């Protein structure tokens, strides 16, 4: 349902996205684009280089189309850096996601436009303290009369907040309070009644996670576990454990563990999967954020960086999220290779015992983060501030 915001209804916005982390980059940009249109009436042009990855989370996308409209958003297939643009092609607000290089012709047209657009570099989400000092900082173009501002998502009042749609909490709570709706959703994924009654875990991680060891621990444990994993995720470990194929629809049970391989689902159904599971193992940024809104325990597999810089980022988040949750902290660090948790079975037993406390913390955390406002609204507020300053210089 679209919520019109008259103050922004005439605004245009161009969002440039290059898909590096398969689904996380386009997942974030697609959520942002939809929210800008549905809740604020902003006319969005989304430039994406990989429509095939986009299609896996939004089946409406035509991977062969140069230009198409999807759910009110104008989607361009961003094929290369070539092309001539005129000032009329340039939007009021231009966002480069995670420092991608906008086509030079578009940047040149930005400099010729009157008034010049508001230009943002939307950075990745982090809990590190240094982002508070960098959020909203300006950066002058070395040659053109253009200024770019850095916009950092984050978990404090001094950052840009986190993506969160209006009505999301009400929808989640209604779903989780409706046993029939949850059973119908899980049944549609192939789960039996017995599997619904056991521990349900969604698994979304990078290939280097210690998946094989965790599957073995679940299989040899005393509590029934059903693991729901999208096709292609941890494919080698899942195929080895299942003893053959790991295509969407395949399942296998060994000991206490049942593994079910799922097709990739549209974003709204992925949210429901997170809402329906008792524990969510998530990766990157998009599923990491959605797990936080699910109100369920989760473990984050962070995108790897050179010199293990991602471990510092992980510890910064755990320092905010997991005080007093030692099993979650230890398992998270081990899952990401920051410490040794061999044998993983013992770490899993500790984590399992801590799940009720983690669930309580998950609800507390949601309230803490949302008190600072959502990213989309804060971004538009900053854009209006910059546009007003440009029109009324001191």
């Amino acid at each position: 349902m679209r919520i019109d915001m008259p103050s922004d209804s005439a605004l245009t916005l161009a969002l440039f996205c290059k898909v590096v982390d398969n689904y996380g980059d386009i997942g974030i940009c697609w959520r942002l684009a939809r929210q800008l249109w549905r809740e604020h009436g902003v006319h969005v042009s989304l430039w994406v280089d990989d429509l095939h990855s986009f299609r896996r989370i939004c089946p409406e996308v035509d991977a062969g189309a140069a230009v198409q409209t999807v759910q009110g958003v104008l989607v361009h297939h961003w094929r290369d850096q070539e092309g001539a643009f005129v000032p009329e092609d340039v939007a009021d607000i231009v966002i480069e996601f995670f420092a991608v290089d906008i086509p030079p012709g578009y940047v040149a047209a930005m400099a010729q436009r009157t008034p010049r657009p508001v230009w943002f570099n939307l950075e990745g989400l982090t809990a590190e303290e240094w982002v508070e000092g960098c959020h909203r900082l300006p950066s002058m173009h070395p040659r053109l009369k253009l200024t770019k501002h850095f916009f950092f998502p984050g978990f404090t009042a001094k950052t840009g907040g986190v993506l969160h749609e209006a009505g999301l909490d009400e929808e989640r709570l209604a779903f989780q309070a409706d046993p029939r709706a949850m059973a119908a959703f899980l049944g549609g994924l192939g789960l039996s009644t017995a599997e619904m009654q056991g521990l349900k875990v969604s698994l979304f991680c990078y290939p280097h996670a210690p998946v094989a060891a965790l599957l073995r621990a679940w299989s040899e444990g005393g509590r029934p576990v059903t693991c729901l994993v999208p096709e292609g995720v941890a494919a080698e470990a899942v195929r080895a454990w299942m003893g053959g194929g790991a295509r969407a629809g395949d399942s296998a049970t060994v000991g206490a563990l049942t593994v079910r391989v799922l097709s990739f689902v549209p974003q709204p159904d992925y949210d429901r999967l997170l809402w329906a599971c008792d524990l969510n193992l998530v990766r990157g940024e998009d599923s990491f954020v959605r797990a936080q809104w699910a109100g369920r325990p989760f473990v984050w597999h962070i995108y790897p960086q050179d010199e293990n810089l991602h471990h510092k980022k992980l510890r910064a988040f755990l320092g905010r999220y997991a005080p007093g949750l030692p099993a979650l902290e230890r398992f998270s660090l081990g899952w990401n290779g920051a410490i040794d948790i061999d044998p993983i079975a013992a770490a899993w037993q500790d984590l399992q015992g801590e799940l009720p406390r983690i669930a309580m913390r998950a609800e507390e955390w949601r309230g803490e983060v949302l008190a600072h406002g959502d990213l989309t609204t804060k971004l538009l507020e900053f854009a209006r501030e910059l546009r007003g300053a440009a029109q009324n210089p001191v």
Side-chain angles (χ1 to χ4, degrees):
M1 177 178 178
R2 178 177 158 191
I3 305 172
D4 287 317
M5 301 278 291
S7 61
D8 294 319
S9 60
L11 278 178
T12 58
L13 182 146
L15 174 56
F16 289 84
C17 172
K18 286 197 172 181
V19 180
V20 177
D21 178 19
N22 290 331
Y23 312 107
D25 304 292
I26 184 54
I28 294 164
C29 291
W30 181 228
R31 292 187 195 279
L32 174 60
R34 284 185 302 169
Q35 188 179 3
L36 284 163
W37 167 242
R38 290 178 175 179
E39 297 180 24
H40 301 274
V42 177
H43 297 274
V44 181
S45 295
L46 175 58
W47 295 73
V48 186
D49 67 331
D50 182 356
L51 294 180
H52 291 281
S53 291
F54 191 0
R55 180 177 170 79
R56 294 198 76 182
I57 62 169
C58 181
E60 298 170 50
V61 171
D62 179 354
V67 183
Q68 60 191 298
T69 299
V70 184
Q71 297 183 28
V73 175
L74 187 64
V75 177
H76 295 262
H77 187 187
W78 184 9
R79 299 179 184 274
D80 52 45
Q81 295 293 84
E82 303 299 324
F85 298 87
V86 296
E88 290 75 19
D89 296 326
V90 176
D92 299 314
I93 304 170
V94 178
I95 300 177
E96 56 185 46
F97 180 69
F98 212 42
V100 301
D101 291 326
I102 296 175
Y106 195 94
V107 176
M110 288 166 61
Q112 297 168 6
R113 185 185 189 272
T114 303
R116 293 186 180 88
V118 172
W119 186 7
F120 290 133
N121 176 12
L122 178 57
E123 285 285 354
L125 175 63
T126 181
E128 295 167 290
E129 291 184 3
W130 62 265
V131 302
E132 293 185 344
C134 297
H135 178 55
R136 299 181 31 143
L137 281 182
S139 175
M140 300 291 292
H141 192 281
R143 294 180 295 100
L144 304 173
K145 290 184 178 180
L146 289 171
T147 300
K148 174 166 50 180
H149 286 81
F150 292 93
F151 197 91
F152 279 88
F155 302 107
T156 71
K158 295 181 180 180
T159 66
V162 183
L163 281 172
H164 182 278
E165 305 93 317
L168 179 65
D169 295 329
E170 292 80 1
E171 184 181 356
R172 173 185 69 90
L173 291 171
F175 178 82
Q176 291 177 335
D178 187 343
R180 290 185 178 180
M182 195 174 297
F185 176 77
L186 292 172
L189 300 178
L191 275 72
S192 67
T193 301
E195 290 167 359
M196 295 181 200
Q197 294 171 348
L199 187 73
K200 300 173 292 297
V201 182
S202 73
L203 173 62
F204 192 39
C205 62
Y206 296 109
H208 59 281
V211 173
L214 184 57
L215 295 178
R216 185 167 58 252
W218 283 338
S219 177
E220 296 172 355
R223 183 177 183 181
V225 175
T226 298
C227 175
L228 306 171
V229 54
E231 183 179 23
V233 172
E236 184 176 337
V238 172
R239 277 196 300 268
W241 186 86
M242 295 182 74
R247 299 175 64 87
D250 289 344
S251 66
T253 300
V254 176
L257 173 64
T258 297
V259 173
R260 289 193 172 274
V261 182
L262 309 180
S263 300
F264 266 79
V265 296
Q267 285 183 329
D269 280 342
Y270 183 67
D271 281 333
R272 293 184 186 93
L273 176 65
L274 298 177
W275 301 345
C277 286
D278 304 294
L279 172 66
N280 295 302
L281 305 182
V282 294
R283 80 180 197 190
E285 182 173 327
D286 183 55
S287 61
F288 167 54
V289 169
R290 305 315 286 189
Q292 291 175 60
W293 303 146
R296 302 294 200 199
F298 69 91
V299 175
W300 182 25
H301 200 212
I302 190 169
Y303 187 77
Q305 294 177 291
D306 293 339
E307 300 179 1
N308 287 328
L309 292 178
H310 57 298
H311 290 165
K312 183 178 180 181
K313 188 174 179 179
L314 173 64
R315 291 179 188 275
F317 175 73
L318 292 172
R320 294 184 186 275
Y321 184 83
L325 297 172
L328 175 61
E329 180 177 12
R330 184 167 181 268
F331 190 93
S332 298
L333 292 171
W335 186 243
N336 284 274
I339 63 171
D340 182 11
I341 57 169
D342 185 32
I344 199 171
W348 164 246
Q349 287 299 321
D350 292 341
L351 179 66
Q352 187 175 201
E354 201 172 78
L355 289 180
R357 290 169 56 202
I358 300 172
M360 293 176 61
R361 175 56 180 154
E363 289 292 351
E364 294 173 354
W365 175 255
R366 286 179 51 262
E368 292 174 14
V369 175
L370 289 177
H372 305 309
D374 73 280
L375 183 146
T376 304
T377 301
K378 295 183 78 168
L379 186 145
L380 288 176
E381 289 173 349
F382 187 32
R384 286 196 293 267
E385 179 183 324
L386 294 172
R387 282 163 58 83
Q391 293 170 7
N392 301 286
V394 177

